[in-house]
């Protein structure tokens, strides 16, 4: 009985953590009003660089990844 109770609460907590992660990371880009990928413009490229800088600042990507992606964005302007 105790094992079932521990498993139940473990699943409830894991579900809540997964839900919070989904709601905070997945919908953040949609709420920011990103232009569609087909809208290639100088402003769109600038926005992509800003988003990349934000990801670097939050620690989602390391410095090497940031520099590599930034160079790739600037190469395809």
């Amino acid at each position: 009985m105790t094992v079932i109770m521990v498993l139940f609460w473990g699943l409830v907590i894991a579900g809540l953590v997964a839900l919070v992660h989904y709601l905070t990371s997945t919908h953040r880009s949609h709420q920011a009003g990103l232009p569609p990928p087909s809208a290639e413009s100088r402003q769109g490229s600038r926005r992509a660089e800003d988003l990349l800088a934000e990801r670097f600042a939050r620690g989602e990507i390391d410095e090497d990844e940031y520099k590599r992606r930034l160079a790739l964005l600037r190469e395809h302007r």
Side-chain angles (χ1 to χ4, degrees):
M1 189 69 162
T2 303
V3 173
I4 293 173
M5 195 67 148
V6 169
L7 286 175
F8 170 76
W9 285 111
L11 287 174
V12 168
I13 291 170
L16 288 173
V17 169
L19 179 65
V20 168
H21 178 65
Y22 172 77
L23 292 175
T24 58
S25 65
T26 304
H27 295 293
R28 184 175 292 163
S29 63
H30 295 296
Q31 292 173 352
L34 296 177
S38 61
E40 293 288 328
S41 67
R42 184 164 173 82
Q43 184 180 11
S45 296
R46 191 77 203 135
R47 181 70 182 139
E49 289 179 14
D50 292 342
L51 289 173
L52 186 62
E54 288 174 14
R55 289 187 65 200
F56 177 62
R58 285 193 302 261
E60 293 177 10
I61 58 175
D62 62 6
E63 184 178 1
D64 293 333
E65 182 73 9
Y66 172 75
K67 288 179 180 179
R68 185 181 66 78
R69 290 183 183 208
L70 185 60
L72 188 63
L73 282 173
R74 290 181 176 167
E75 178 181 305
H76 292 288
R77 255 192 213 177

